[in-house]
Amino acid sequence: MKWQGRRGSSNIEDRRRAGTRRAGGIGGIAGVLVLLAGLYFGVDTSEFVDLGGGGVQSSGSAEITPADERAAQFVSVTLADTEEVWADIFERQVGQPYQAPTLVLFKGQTRSACGGASAATGPFYCPPENKAFLDTEFFTTLENQLGAGGDFAAAYVVAHEVAHHVQNELGILGQVNQMRAQMNEVDSNAILVRVELQADCLSGIWARAAQQKFGSLEQGDIAEAMNAAAQIGDDTLQRNAGQRVQPHTFTHGTSEQRQRWFRRGLESGNLADCDTFSTNRL
């Protein structure tokens, strides 16, 4: 992906030098659940980690490595691309202005209106704040532990969280939360799958538009995004964790579904083709 030397976003809130640590630690089955949760890209992962109640203490300035700085610059450029792309799409397809989100960079742990955020939770979007949260060290996890390396795999992470903001702007997340409040856990999970697959589709729309607008994609970039989508499918994550695949627990969709919906958005470019809520075939 061609990104060096290009415009960065001003909608970055950098908290990396104000890192926090948790008093004590998370062990046993709770620790396992947190680590598994960190492998997901979610709307709000705060349900897995609660850093409230005085358990978070300031650790002073966090060490920022050259890799951290490069990742921050990359995220800033990618976020700027999403701002321009979605502003255009909203004007043409929605007929309303696009209000861009803020992206919070942190290292270690931080707070959000949705609860605590840590490196273990992975990237997430917090609707009440219109903010996405990202510990840039997650890119290292993405490459070294999940086998999804490359700049465009990382761009897919950013694009996916911004896609949740797009859903929020369109009023989709609010409707989903109302529905889930009246559902049992299995049905609620099924709705979350549709939310996540739609975000994958919207990420594909962004990738298509970014190439058309900036010419930033290089050979192999789409393959990196498709591989990332495959590595974070619920079925793949459960198998790699040594678990039995349990579809009723899925919250993000299978690897095949995530790839297919990303490609659908990539090939179409139309918001209407990302309607995961009215289809019988996910």
Side-chain angles (χ1 to χ4, degrees):
M1 178 178 173
K2 303 173 185 176
W3 65 273
Q4 289 91 344
R6 296 178 50 218
R7 180 184 78 86
S9 173
S10 60
N11 291 314
I12 298 285
E13 183 179 332
D14 193 345
R15 301 182 187 175
R16 294 174 300 157
R17 289 176 173 82
T20 57
R21 63 180 174 84
R22 182 176 177 88
I26 302 175
I29 187 63
V32 173
L33 290 174
V34 168
L35 290 174
L36 288 176
L39 302 180
Y40 290 79
F41 304 155
V43 177
D44 171 18
T45 57
S46 61
E47 65 187 281
F48 296 103
V49 179
D50 180 8
L51 302 182
V56 178
Q57 301 175 355
S58 173
S59 62
S61 178
E63 179 184 358
I64 307 300
T65 67
D68 289 326
E69 291 292 9
R70 182 184 185 277
Q73 293 170 12
F74 172 80
V75 167
S76 180
V77 171
T78 303
L79 185 63
D81 286 358
T82 68
E83 292 164 354
E84 294 190 40
V85 162
W86 284 113
D88 288 347
I89 292 174
F90 266 56
E91 181 179 0
R92 288 185 289 103
Q93 298 189 34
V94 182
Q96 71 183 54
Y98 173 67
Q99 302 296 325
T102 296
L103 194 151
V104 177
L105 294 178
F106 67 95
K107 188 167 185 178
Q109 296 177 345
T110 192
R111 294 182 183 274
S112 80
C114 296
S118 76
T121 63
F124 70 96
Y125 174 68
C126 183
E129 290 187 276
N130 293 320
K131 291 181 178 181
F133 289 75
L134 172 67
D135 185 328
T136 52
E137 288 188 357
F138 182 78
F139 294 146
T140 301
T141 300
L142 190 68
E143 181 171 3
N144 295 341
Q145 297 183 29
L146 297 181
D151 283 345
F152 207 72
Y156 164 65
V157 174
V158 177
H160 182 95
E161 298 313 321
V162 171
H164 285 312
H165 176 72
V166 170
Q167 291 172 313
N168 202 34
E169 286 284 285
L170 295 174
I172 294 170
L173 294 189
Q175 295 178 43
V176 165
N177 287 335
Q178 290 179 4
M179 295 170 60
R180 291 181 62 211
Q182 304 173 27
M183 292 178 171
N184 59 40
E185 183 177 358
V186 172
D187 291 340
S188 177
N189 287 344
I191 288 292
L192 282 181
V193 168
R194 293 178 184 270
V195 171
E196 296 297 333
L197 293 180
Q198 184 178 63
D200 285 329
C201 186
L202 296 175
S203 300
I205 288 180
W206 168 79
R208 176 190 179 95
Q211 174 59 11
Q212 293 173 339
K213 190 175 184 67
F214 308 112
S216 54
L217 273 65
E218 299 177 296
Q219 185 175 3
D221 280 346
I222 296 301
E224 289 177 1
M226 292 290 283
N227 177 55
Q231 296 303 325
I232 57 167
D234 285 320
D235 53 340
T236 298
L237 288 172
Q238 289 183 354
R239 289 192 192 96
N240 290 344
Q243 298 178 336
R244 179 169 56 88
V245 174
Q246 303 180 68
H248 69 281
T249 67
F250 289 177
T251 57
H252 290 66
T254 67
S255 296
E256 186 275 333
Q257 288 172 328
R258 300 200 72 166
Q259 288 182 313
R260 178 157 43 82
W261 281 97
F262 175 84
R263 183 169 294 281
R264 182 177 181 131
L266 179 69
E267 294 176 349
S268 167
N270 294 318
L271 290 174
D273 291 326
C274 290
D275 183 3
T276 55
F277 294 95
S278 61
T279 182
N280 292 323
R281 181 178 181 269
L282 289 177

